[in-house]
Amino acid sequence: MERLYIICVEDQKEVLNTISEQLSHFEEYVTLEECETANEAYDLLTEIERKGGQTAVVVSDHVMPGMTGVELFIKLKSDSRFEGIKKVLLTGQATHADTIDAINKAQIDFYIEKPWQSDTLLEKVSILLTRYIVETGLAYEPFAPVLHKQTLFDLLKGR
Amino acid sequence: MIDFHKQKLALADLTDLNWLKQRFFVYPDQRIKVKTGEVIIRQEEVNEKMYFMESGSTSGYFKPEEGEEFKVFSTGTNMMVGLYSFFSHDHRSYTTVKADEDTVVLYVSRDQLPEKNSPEYGLFLEHILPVIVNEIYLRQMLMINSVSEKESVLKKLMESEKMATLGQLAAGLAHELNNAASVIQSKAEWITEHMKDYMEQKDSKGLYPYFLRSLEKGQTKSSVEVRTRKEKIKELIGVQENAAKKLAKMNLTDEELMMINQKADSGIIDRLGNYWEAGLALHDINIAASHTTHVVQSIKELGAANRREHQNFSLLSSIEKAHSLLTNQLKHIETSIEVHEDIKINGKEGDFIQVWVNLIKNAAEVLNTKQPQSPQIIIEASKKGSLLHVSIKDNGGGIEESEQSKIFQPSYTTKVSGLSFGLGLGLSIVQKILSSYEGQIQLTCQDEWTIFSIQLPKQ
């Protein structure tokens, strides 16, 4: 089974704890990593890629010191190594312009506004993980318990 | 203001006032003494006379149909009044002219003027014309001045209106949030105390201390440290990825790790993780709750009239409170507070917290934007004679000389893009608060340092 990663990026520790606690649902099947800055996340993504792992989903805050979440996503978008990664922007502070940038330039997959419901986050991440696995042609069976049934069904039907 | 009298004299020199004076304003029985406040010409009434002011001064007032009367012009010695009504088509005055002080005027009636079309009348016109032009000019200038004065008053009014609205808005918001925030905070404290008892009773494996540890300190390891530690733990006790990660977050010593590992209990790591996470959750709730109440409190103090009495409070603790409000912005900045705990200030603590918040926040914003090698904020205080000095400095690169004089003005802001918008009120509020304590604030720059120095009289 391929080693898959979900990366959470958030500069406020209490919030980072909350995100990763909510996503611990996936931990049995996917490795969950936490980062406090976008730069740290970028380095980690590179490291994972170098070691032959794959990052499926990045959940990131937008406003952080240094690189912002949207900037990180734009950087990933323009890098062929990270093209397929699913991106979730989790923020309550993006301006209209930031959001437009995120959609147009970074092609984020989901935008979740703070404060969020843990069910929403879980569902979106599950959908994206499913899409990542099917799109990259990985065997989905080992991950089945944490995948999104309807999404998986639709994708397989269309294949 | 334009100097009317200078202008008037210049024009008077051009005009041969003497000619008019000697020719028309010479009759002793047409010389009137007017007492202060007495009316010479009344608005809307027909005026058949032209007045020359021998001494004193008068003002013309216009009263609109509704509303208060207001001043339209003023005249002084060697000037003339009644010109407009005298020459206008219906001879009615548009103002009421009153004496500002005891005044002496000379007048000439319409019927005393030379016959129209006579050469004498031509001479009269030639001499009176510059006087009329001068009067028009003076009234025009007075209007321009009052309009521009009004304009600046209006601007100031809008400025203070803006601040008042903002304050009311903030106060309303704070009021709404205050109750909710205090409930959350006190219930979080309550549940924490009860959870402590419950966890202690439930614990039979010596895991309670780990609950207490995360409850008190929270998660102190950074995400990078956790990853390094995780690898070390995997090597050390040979556990799986997820278990290693849990243990890595817990800040356990190697001895503690070994001890836990030796307990031949397969579920021990999970249970330990639960204890630790329960503590951490409560810790985070308490931090977030008290942060919320602090923020709400400070907004309340900012917006509403702070009714609290003056009191003696510790300078250090007020700075620490401000610091705690800004924890998030100060995360990547080395902040040192070199203030002796004995220094006391007499006043409203909220006022001073607001001053420190504004100044520290400005510094933090500069540092977070410019990101110098090792961002620093240094806060120092000292007593010198009868003065208390407090300085707040940051190594964010200083402020351009051309900007230095502007930064205390209300509505001056450098933060105009994206999310970091500012209202530009921070430093003007700081200055206002400090001056209410007879204090002063100064800005100096030295190399990469920006230094705000505050002086307060010691009470």
Side-chain angles (χ1 to χ4, degrees):
Chain A
M1 171 166 132
E2 294 283 337
R3 188 127 183 224
L4 279 191
Y5 289 83
I6 293 176
I7 297 180
C8 317
V9 197
E10 162 69 60
D11 66 324
Q12 209 174 328
K13 212 172 254 177
E14 294 82 33
V15 183
L16 183 60
N17 278 337
T18 312
I19 300 172
S20 95
E21 201 273 316
Q22 289 174 356
L23 293 181
S24 61
H25 167 69
F26 295 98
E27 261 197 316
E28 213 178 310
Y29 305 91
V30 180
T31 309
L32 206 58
E33 291 285 4
E34 295 165 29
C35 296
E36 285 166 40
T37 66
N39 281 313
E40 186 191 329
Y42 185 76
D43 292 345
L44 182 65
L45 277 153
T46 313
E47 178 73 12
I48 290 169
E49 202 270 339
R50 200 177 56 79
K51 285 186 174 166
Q54 289 185 29
T55 304
V57 184
V58 177
V59 179
S60 177
D61 182 25
H62 173 47
V63 184
M64 294 179 283
M67 207 195 302
T68 66
V70 171
E71 281 162 5
L72 170 69
F73 285 159
I74 292 175
K75 211 168 162 184
L76 297 185
K77 173 73 186 54
S78 56
D79 192 323
S80 62
R81 293 174 297 171
F82 306 126
E83 243 172 356
I85 296 177
K86 303 299 173 196
K87 313 176 196 77
V88 180
L89 195 64
L90 181 63
T91 180
Q93 290 178 297
T95 62
H96 197 55
D98 290 330
T99 317
I100 291 172
D101 256 10
I103 293 167
N104 288 346
K105 296 196 195 144
Q107 295 185 352
I108 59 157
D109 298 279
F110 271 116
Y111 178 94
I112 300 177
E113 210 167 337
K114 286 181 186 172
W116 71 97
Q117 297 286 322
S118 68
D119 289 351
T120 313
L121 181 65
L122 275 181
E123 192 196 5
K124 302 304 178 203
V125 172
S126 168
I127 291 174
L128 292 177
L129 182 67
T130 311
R131 277 175 41 197
Y132 181 87
I133 287 170
V134 175
E135 280 166 20
T136 47
L138 294 171
Y140 65 85
E141 291 86 354
F143 303 98
V146 288
L147 296 185
H148 193 260
K149 301 285 175 301
Q150 187 62 43
T151 307
L152 185 64
F153 179 73
D154 291 346
L155 286 171
L156 292 179
K157 201 175 64 177
R159 197 150 65 173
Chain B
M1 279 289 267
I2 284 161
D3 191 338
F4 289 97
H5 293 278
K6 224 184 217 163
Q7 295 280 350
K8 181 202 77 189
L9 283 177
L11 270 162
D13 288 346
L14 291 174
T15 320
D16 194 358
L17 262 177
N18 273 333
W19 186 89
L20 285 169
K21 221 164 112 184
Q22 280 162 18
R23 179 71 182 73
F24 297 107
F25 302 104
V26 281
Y27 312 107
D29 57 336
Q30 295 183 11
R31 188 169 180 273
I32 328 170
K33 290 182 181 174
V34 195
K35 289 216 158 57
T36 312
E38 269 180 352
V39 172
I40 303 167
I41 306 168
R42 206 172 284 281
Q43 185 175 334
E44 292 299 326
E45 279 177 9
V46 171
N47 171 37
E48 295 290 348
K49 296 183 183 99
M50 200 161 40
Y51 298 86
F52 178 85
M53 317 237 328
E54 192 185 272
S55 67
S57 60
T58 63
S59 292
Y61 298 90
F62 177 77
K63 188 180 183 311
E65 269 180 47
E66 280 171 44
E68 299 281 305
E69 68 172 18
F70 59 90
K71 195 196 261 190
V72 184
F73 64 84
S74 294
T75 58
T77 312
N78 276 339
M79 290 175 76
M80 292 177 73
V81 272
L83 285 174
Y84 170 77
S85 45
F86 192 84
F87 286 102
S88 71
H89 69 284
D90 62 356
H91 305 312
R92 284 178 201 279
S93 176
Y94 76 103
T95 57
T96 298
V97 180
K98 287 186 227 174
D100 295 335
E101 57 189 306
D102 289 353
T103 294
V104 178
V105 292
L106 288 147
Y107 70 84
V108 60
S109 306
R110 191 178 303 282
D111 53 19
Q112 289 174 304
L113 288 185
E115 199 125 339
K116 278 192 182 171
N117 301 328
S118 69
E120 186 79 347
Y121 192 74
L123 268 177
F124 163 70
L125 283 182
E126 202 176 292
H127 282 94
I128 198 75
L129 193 66
V131 177
I132 295 172
V133 171
N134 192 21
E135 290 297 324
I136 294 171
Y137 168 78
L138 288 177
R139 281 167 211 202
Q140 200 82 343
M141 285 322 291
L142 194 79
M143 287 316 281
I144 289 171
N145 269 311
S146 80
V147 165
S148 64
E149 224 167 88
K150 205 159 142 192
E151 203 57 32
S152 88
V153 168
L154 209 68
K155 227 170 147 184
K156 272 185 202 147
L157 195 73
M158 275 159 68
E159 199 63 53
S160 61
E161 193 91 329
K162 196 166 97 184
M163 285 184 58
T165 314
L166 199 72
Q168 282 165 6
L169 206 76
L173 189 74
H175 179 79
E176 288 296 321
L177 290 178
N178 198 32
N179 288 342
S182 354
V183 170
I184 294 174
Q185 192 183 13
S186 63
K187 296 294 176 192
E189 278 163 22
W190 183 88
I191 208 161
T192 303
E193 285 314 306
H194 283 71
M195 276 297 277
K196 272 184 176 170
D197 291 344
Y198 176 75
M199 295 299 252
E200 194 170 14
Q201 279 165 24
K202 208 177 156 238
D203 175 40
S204 58
K205 308 258 195 246
L207 299 177
Y208 180 63
Y210 299 102
F211 168 79
L212 278 187
R213 192 185 293 179
S214 60
L215 176 63
E216 272 154 27
K217 299 236 172 78
Q219 191 195 319
T220 50
K221 278 201 171 345
S222 75
S223 50
V224 178
E225 287 167 337
V226 168
R227 267 194 296 282
T228 326
R229 182 73 179 150
K230 178 180 75 182
E231 296 306 321
K232 179 97 189 291
I233 291 174
K234 281 203 276 190
E235 264 173 50
L236 222 62
I237 58 174
V239 289
Q240 287 298 300
E241 176 80 20
N242 291 342
K245 191 172 147 197
K246 255 182 204 164
L247 292 170
K249 282 186 174 182
M250 284 182 226
N251 217 3
L252 301 171
T253 61
D254 287 356
E255 291 77 46
E256 284 171 326
L257 266 175
M258 295 302 190
M259 226 169 64
I260 289 158
N261 201 36
Q262 274 158 20
K263 292 191 182 167
D265 179 348
S266 57
I268 186 92
I269 292 178
D270 274 350
R271 264 208 302 285
L272 173 62
N274 288 341
Y275 269 78
W276 193 82
E277 282 199 0
L280 181 64
L282 287 169
H283 170 268
D284 287 357
I285 291 173
N286 280 300
I287 291 283
S290 78
H291 184 72
T292 313
T293 36
H294 267 128
V295 171
V296 169
Q297 204 63 42
S298 75
I299 296 173
K300 248 176 102 180
E301 274 158 16
L302 180 114
N306 186 0
R307 290 188 215 292
R308 222 180 293 152
E309 295 288 302
H310 278 230
Q311 63 192 50
N312 249 322
F313 63 89
S314 138
L315 170 65
L316 179 63
S317 92
S318 72
I319 294 175
E320 280 171 345
K321 282 179 191 165
H323 186 266
S324 81
L325 278 176
L326 299 165
T327 330
N328 204 30
Q329 274 129 301
L330 293 170
K331 252 187 323 202
H332 305 280
I333 298 165
E334 187 193 325
T335 311
S336 54
I337 304 174
E338 286 153 31
V339 177
H340 200 276
E341 56 186 320
D342 286 349
I343 301 180
K344 297 267 190 272
I345 292 182
N346 191 275
K348 292 177 187 165
E349 191 176 11
D351 283 353
F352 284 87
I353 294 175
Q354 208 180 320
V355 168
W356 315 136
V357 163
N358 274 307
L359 292 172
I360 299 171
K361 193 161 158 276
N362 278 350
E365 278 165 356
V366 168
L367 291 169
N368 285 330
T369 316
K370 299 213 175 149
Q371 303 196 319
Q373 272 291 303
S374 48
Q376 273 185 70
I377 295 176
I378 301 172
I379 304 164
E380 289 166 313
S382 62
K383 287 188 271 189
K384 273 179 205 138
S386 63
L387 289 175
L388 174 60
H389 293 263
V390 184
S391 75
I392 295 177
K393 52 185 188 176
D394 67 78
N395 59 348
I399 297 171
E400 295 264 337
E401 213 156 307
S402 58
E403 305 288 291
Q404 287 187 15
S405 60
K406 289 190 240 159
I407 64 166
F408 288 105
Q409 291 168 6
S411 294
Y412 176 78
T413 179
T414 53
K415 293 164 254 163
V416 287
S417 71
L419 285 166
S420 56
F421 73 94
L423 292 161
L425 299 172
L427 283 176
S428 64
I429 289 175
V430 165
Q431 205 172 30
K432 217 172 113 191
I433 294 174
L434 288 173
S435 61
S436 76
Y437 288 92
E438 285 160 23
Q440 283 177 355
I441 179 160
Q442 271 171 351
L443 163 72
T444 45
C445 291
Q446 217 171 55
D447 304 325
E448 78 270 28
W449 292 93
T450 305
I451 307 156
F452 283 96
S453 323
I454 291 165
Q455 278 186 15
L456 283 166
K458 231 170 61 190
Q459 305 92 344

